[in-house]
Amino acid sequence: MIQTVESLSPAGTLNPLQEAFKKHHALQCGFCTAGFLISATKLLEQNPNPSRIEVIEALSGNLCRCTGYQTIVDAVLEAAEMIGNNNG
């Protein structure tokens, strides 16, 4: 199955990961955003409570020239907390 960024949230709403990206300004031009969102989604499916190092490693295949990676990593970690709080 091929997953696209459009399939991450139902009915035009934002999922917790997308909300965290928005909150942390973890995107700029948008060119790389889809790749980061899909990679982070896969990470959080496999490891719902990743460490900062695990997030960095999981996203290491994605390149961004517009923003620093700090906001992206922060967004993924916050999404993991949000998802964890919704499941527990």
Side-chain angles (χ1 to χ4, degrees):
M1 176 175 86
I2 296 174
Q3 185 175 24
T4 65
V5 71
E6 292 84 7
S7 70
L8 295 179
S9 57
T13 61
L14 298 178
N15 72 20
L17 183 59
Q18 291 168 316
E19 285 287 351
F21 263 61
K22 179 180 171 186
K23 176 182 175 186
H24 287 273
H25 306 287
L27 48 95
Q28 294 291 317
C29 75
F31 185 77
C32 65
T33 304
F36 279 112
L37 287 169
I38 295 295
S39 294
T41 296
K42 182 69 171 177
L43 168 65
L44 295 176
E45 287 172 356
Q46 295 174 344
N47 180 0
N49 189 26
S51 68
R52 179 170 291 277
I53 296 298
E54 290 169 325
V55 172
I56 291 168
E57 288 176 2
L59 301 178
S60 65
N62 297 74
L63 300 176
C64 177
R65 294 180 60 200
C66 297
T67 188
Y69 294 94
Q70 182 69 38
T71 59
I72 296 167
V73 172
D74 290 344
V76 175
L77 291 170
E78 181 169 313
E81 283 184 31
M82 291 169 37
I83 293 165
N85 288 337
N86 288 336
N87 292 332

